[in-house]
């Protein structure tokens, strides 16, 4: 802790000597009275969350620029109206009819002026883009829609039909008890069909995902790689808003520097405060710390498409060689619970008696000998280069695992790369194993079981184990055919047993979520179901000044 505080002090002194961040790094960030600066840890890979599952992209886009047909209430997890004011589900569970809000305005920006408000055409465009491979926008900017692909939603949806300008009907091929929840996730955003057609006519369709237009509380103004993203309040937002006028994402990759900027006031809120930061934040009166149980899982996945990791016995031996308790103690510092399966205890599908492997290096060595693993065997462990709640320090965890594996005769290379390259190389299957995790996008357990381990989730890049098991997939499909929670729970119990037997990954921990802000910031909510939202964020001083003006 002393070395941490000393390092933080050096960073603070450096910042003070420079005068301010803008002067030090020549960033074009002006001081605006009713603005909030959020210290983000990296660049979004796109400004359309349909194209990416990274939380960095979701934070920068999903709840700032866009809205969805449905929304999750972050306090109780219930599905509530969004751009759809109401909806009906047919008795057979195959037809969903959505009544859309009238008068919802799209953003007017320097690069686009809408001529109409949101309507059914935008819903059809937004869904058909990722669903229909022959759609003119399907292959624009890569043609990959990882969240939808991992769930097989393109095959689930039979038809999206316009009943009139403000009513849409979606028909499914088979019942899907998670369908409404999936429409409320960060990735189910509604785009402007008018803007898209304008860009297509101009021959520049790729701009749709780089210069975004949505209906959300903030409109996009400017992005500078590795520096900042600037947003301005959407004056015609359909929900009443008395919040901030401008929002700035200050892209600061180093956790210690983000913390220093929070203390000096250069940032009003920070992404992913480290475990050491939590102690400092709690002790300072000028800072506030918020905590919630996390719908997440940190895990060690094995590339089951590569020998010898294609052998379940090898995967189990590797897990037996590692003391999971020590990983949790050293990396999470008491801010996580032990993972017995891939779903956390906050999920109704959680199984307290789920089987798990204990620490047994003697048995690990026996298994490795039985399968004929060479004495000089070397493997890679890929460690995330970014900090996440589900794994706050993947590099440290990899170093600990390396020592354990050395005790059973395995040499380890630790691999870490630029985050976007890292994720791409994982999708390409270049890894032997990886320390990574998953944050749920909704409260349905299908949001863990399907994207993490089904066959359909391999091409999309969310199945990091590259594990494909038809029996497992059949169970997950079966669970969606009923709304009966007890029946679904029994099916997921069978899935847990299969995961344990095949062991494509080792569940490690379910971490708590934290949010740190300056004390004069109010309205920051930890959303357990997705990206951060600044819609209700306010600066106390601005509220007080407004009250004085009203008096």
């Amino acid at each position: 802790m002393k070395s941490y505080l000393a390092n933080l002090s050096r960073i603070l002194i450096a910042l003070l000597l420079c005068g301010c961040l803008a002067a030090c790094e020549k960033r074009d960030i002006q001081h605006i009275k009713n603005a909030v600066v959020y210290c983000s840890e990296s660049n979004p890979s796109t400004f359309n969350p349909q194209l990416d599952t990274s939380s960095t992209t979701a934070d920068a886009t999903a709840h700032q620029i866009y809205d969805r047909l449905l929304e999750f209430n972050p306090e109780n997890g219930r599905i509530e109206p969004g751009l759809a004011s109401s909806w009906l589900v047919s008795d057979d569970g195959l037809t969903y009819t959505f009544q859309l809000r009238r008068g919802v305005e799209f953003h007017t920006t320097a690069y686009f002026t809408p001529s109409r408000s949101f309507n059914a055409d935008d819903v059809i465009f937004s869904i058909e883009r990722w669903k229909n491979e022959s759609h003119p926008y399907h292959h624009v900017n890569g043609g990959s829609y990882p969240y939808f692909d991992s769930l097989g939603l393109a095959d689930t949806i039979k038809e999206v039909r316009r009943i009139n300008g403000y009513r849409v009907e979606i028909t499914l091929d088979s019942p899907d008890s998670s369908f409404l929840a999936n429409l409320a996730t960060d990735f189910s955003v509604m785009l402007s069909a008018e803007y898209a057609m304008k860009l297509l006519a101009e021959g520049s369709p790729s701009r749709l995902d780089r210069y975004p237009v949505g209906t959300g509380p903030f409109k996009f103004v400017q992005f500078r790689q590795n520096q900042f993203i600037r947003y301005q309040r959407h004056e015609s937002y359909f929900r009443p808003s008395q919040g901030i006028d401008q929002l700035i994402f200050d892209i600061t990759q180093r956790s210690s520097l983000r913390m220093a900027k929070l203390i000096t006031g250069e940032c009003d809120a920070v992404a992913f405060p480290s475990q050491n930061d939590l102690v400092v934040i709690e002790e300072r009166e000028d800072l506030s710390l918020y905590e919630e149980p996390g719908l997440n899982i940190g895990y060690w996945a094995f590339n089951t498409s590569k020998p010898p990791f294609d052998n379940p016995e090898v995967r189990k031996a590797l897990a037996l060689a590692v003391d999971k308790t020590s990983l949790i103690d050293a990396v999470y510092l008491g801010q996580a619970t032990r993972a017995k399966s891939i779903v956390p205890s906050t999920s109704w599908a959680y199984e307290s008696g789920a089987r798990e492997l204990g620490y047994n290096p003697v048995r690990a060595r026996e298994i490795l000998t039985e399968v004929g693993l060479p004495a000089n065997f070397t493997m890679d462990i890929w460690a995330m280069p970014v900090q996440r709640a589900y794994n706050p320090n993947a590099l440290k965890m990899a170093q600990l695992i390396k020592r354990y594996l050395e005790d059973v005769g395995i040499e380890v290379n630790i691999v870490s790369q630029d985050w976007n390259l890292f994720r791409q190389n994982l999708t390409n299957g270049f890894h032997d194993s990886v320390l990574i995790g998953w944050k749920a996008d909704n409260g349905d357990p299908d949001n863990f079981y399907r994207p993490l381990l089904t066959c359909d989730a391999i091409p999309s890049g969310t199945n990091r184990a590259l594990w494909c098991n038809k029996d497992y997939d059949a169970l997950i499909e079966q669970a969606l055919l009923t709304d009966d929670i007890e029946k679904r729970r029994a099916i997921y119990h069978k899935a847990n047993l299969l995961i344990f037997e095949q062991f494509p990954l080792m569940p490690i921990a379910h971490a708590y979520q934290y949010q740190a802000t300056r004390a004069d910031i109010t309205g920051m909510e930890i959303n357990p179901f997705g990206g951060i939202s600044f819609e209700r964020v306010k600066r106390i001083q601005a509220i007080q000044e407004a009250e004085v003006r009203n008096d």
Side-chain angles (χ1 to χ4, degrees):
M1 186 64 171
K2 289 182 179 179
S3 61
Y4 167 78
L5 291 175
N7 183 49
L8 181 61
S9 297
R10 286 193 293 271
I11 294 173
L12 286 169
I13 291 170
L15 287 175
L16 291 172
L17 288 174
C18 290
C20 66
L21 175 65
C24 288
E25 302 187 17
K26 299 181 181 179
R27 295 186 177 179
D28 184 23
I29 297 179
Q30 300 173 353
H31 179 71
I32 302 158
K33 196 168 192 180
N34 191 22
V36 163
V37 178
Y38 175 67
C39 266
S40 175
E41 93 288 6
S42 60
N43 300 289
S45 64
T46 174
F47 281 92
N48 179 358
Q50 292 180 334
L51 304 176
D52 187 32
T53 57
S54 168
S55 61
T56 304
T57 295
D59 285 346
T61 61
H63 296 277
Q64 322 318 331
I65 298 170
Y66 300 103
D67 292 298
R68 288 140 292 280
L69 290 177
L70 307 175
E71 302 286 352
F72 281 112
N73 183 316
E75 295 181 1
N76 57 33
R78 292 175 182 167
I79 295 173
E80 297 181 340
L83 293 175
S85 57
S86 61
W87 61 94
L88 294 171
V89 185
S90 63
D91 291 340
D92 61 7
L94 294 177
T95 303
Y96 294 74
T97 305
F98 298 91
Q99 182 64 44
L100 308 182
R101 296 183 188 272
R102 295 176 181 268
V104 176
E105 300 297 327
F106 280 102
H107 301 154
T108 296
T109 69
Y111 47 87
F112 177 68
T113 301
S115 66
R116 62 165 178 81
S117 58
F118 168 78
N119 66 28
D121 294 336
D122 303 303
V123 178
I124 294 171
F125 171 83
S126 300
I127 295 176
E128 286 290 340
R129 178 187 179 180
W130 55 260
K131 175 187 178 331
N132 186 355
E133 290 189 10
S134 63
H135 190 277
Y137 265 90
H138 182 83
H139 296 286
V140 171
N141 292 325
S144 175
Y145 304 89
Y147 181 76
F148 305 111
D149 293 345
S150 70
L151 300 179
L153 277 177
D155 295 327
T156 300
I157 297 175
K158 182 178 181 180
E159 182 184 18
V160 184
R161 187 168 71 91
R162 184 185 195 272
I163 298 176
N164 59 45
Y166 293 94
R167 184 170 293 183
V168 174
E169 183 180 274
I170 302 177
T171 305
L172 308 185
D173 273 319
S174 60
D176 183 344
S177 55
S178 67
F179 183 64
L180 289 177
N182 287 325
L183 290 184
T185 62
D186 289 350
F187 314 101
S188 298
V189 296
M190 293 293 110
L191 310 174
S192 167
E194 181 187 18
Y195 177 48
M197 293 305 105
K198 174 180 179 292
L199 293 176
L200 194 64
E202 294 172 352
S204 54
S206 64
R207 290 174 62 90
L208 181 71
D209 307 314
R210 294 186 288 113
Y211 295 90
V213 169
T215 60
F218 295 95
K219 54 188 179 182
F220 175 83
V221 176
Q222 187 182 16
F223 169 51
R224 288 192 181 178
Q225 185 90 1
N226 297 321
Q227 295 187 31
F228 63 82
I229 313 168
R230 192 193 301 275
Y231 309 83
Q232 188 173 4
R233 183 163 56 143
H234 179 26
E235 304 90 343
S236 303
Y237 190 49
F238 73 93
R239 290 192 182 98
S241 177
Q242 301 294 324
I244 55 177
D245 294 326
Q246 295 210 31
L247 171 65
I248 297 167
F249 273 43
D250 182 334
I251 299 168
T252 306
Q253 296 184 5
R254 290 174 56 193
S255 175
S256 56
L257 187 54
R258 291 197 300 272
M259 183 61 188
K261 289 181 179 180
L262 182 68
I263 291 174
T264 61
E266 290 187 53
C267 288
D268 300 298
V270 298
F272 310 112
S274 73
Q275 303 301 321
N276 286 325
D277 292 343
L278 302 181
V279 177
V280 178
I281 294 166
E282 287 180 323
E283 292 176 349
R284 294 185 63 98
E285 294 183 358
D286 57 343
L287 302 180
S288 298
L289 182 67
Y290 305 92
E291 174 187 341
E292 292 286 346
L295 275 171
N296 57 51
I297 172 70
Y299 59 86
W300 183 22
F302 309 104
N303 186 344
T304 61
S305 70
K306 276 186 176 183
F309 312 104
D310 57 345
N311 185 339
E313 293 305 306
V314 171
R315 302 194 291 262
K316 288 182 180 180
L318 294 173
L320 286 166
V322 176
D323 184 358
K324 187 160 71 174
T325 301
S326 71
L327 300 185
I328 296 172
D329 290 343
V331 176
Y332 296 90
L333 303 180
Q335 308 303 324
T337 59
R338 185 185 185 92
K340 295 184 176 182
S341 67
I342 60 175
V343 294
S345 60
T346 49
S347 170
W348 56 258
Y350 175 72
E351 186 182 348
S352 60
R355 297 177 66 187
E356 62 172 331
L357 293 173
Y359 175 47
N360 192 338
V362 174
R363 180 56 186 151
R365 281 192 292 267
E366 289 175 352
I367 294 174
L368 294 174
T369 300
E370 289 168 6
V371 299
L373 200 71
N376 59 346
F377 180 72
T378 300
M379 64 175 287
D380 292 341
I381 296 178
W382 288 38
M384 292 189 306
V386 296
Q387 183 180 353
R388 291 288 183 267
Y390 52 69
N391 193 328
N393 195 333
L395 183 60
K396 182 176 182 179
M397 186 177 289
Q399 291 166 344
L400 292 171
I401 293 176
K402 177 179 180 177
R403 294 178 197 143
Y404 281 117
L405 294 185
E406 286 174 350
D407 291 340
V408 296
I410 296 176
E411 294 297 321
V412 170
N413 295 319
I414 297 175
V415 178
S416 193
Q417 302 165 334
D418 170 78
W419 181 223
N420 288 328
L421 178 62
F422 185 88
R423 294 171 66 241
Q424 183 59 54
N425 285 338
L426 285 179
T427 301
N428 290 334
F430 296 159
H431 58 297
D432 292 340
S433 70
V434 60
L435 290 167
I436 201 163
W438 178 258
K439 182 178 183 295
D441 309 298
N442 62 60
D444 194 291
D446 182 72
N447 197 250
F448 285 91
Y449 287 102
R450 184 175 297 270
L452 289 184
L453 289 171
T454 59
C455 300
D456 284 342
I458 293 175
S460 66
T462 57
N463 182 345
R464 302 303 188 184
L466 305 182
W467 182 64
C468 182
N469 184 290
K470 297 300 181 183
D471 293 336
Y472 176 85
D473 281 18
L475 287 171
I476 303 310
E477 291 293 337
Q478 184 184 352
L480 295 181
L481 298 178
T482 177
D483 289 323
D484 188 309
I485 287 181
E486 288 307 317
K487 290 181 179 178
R488 292 186 72 191
R489 186 181 282 121
I491 295 169
Y492 290 134
H493 171 69
K494 294 179 181 178
N496 288 341
L497 289 175
L498 189 54
I499 293 170
F500 178 80
E501 291 169 2
Q502 293 294 309
F503 218 79
L505 56 79
M506 181 177 83
I508 297 174
H510 306 293
Y512 294 105
Q513 292 178 262
Y514 295 93
Q515 183 66 62
T517 71
R518 299 287 301 176
D520 64 339
I521 299 297
T522 185
M524 289 285 289
E525 296 177 338
I526 295 178
N527 183 359
F529 307 109
I532 191 170
S533 172
F534 288 86
E535 177 187 345
R536 297 180 179 86
V537 172
K538 300 177 183 179
R539 188 179 292 280
I540 293 175
Q541 181 182 356
I543 298 173
Q544 294 170 341
E545 290 177 354
E547 290 174 348
V548 169
R549 287 195 299 271
N550 291 334
D551 291 341

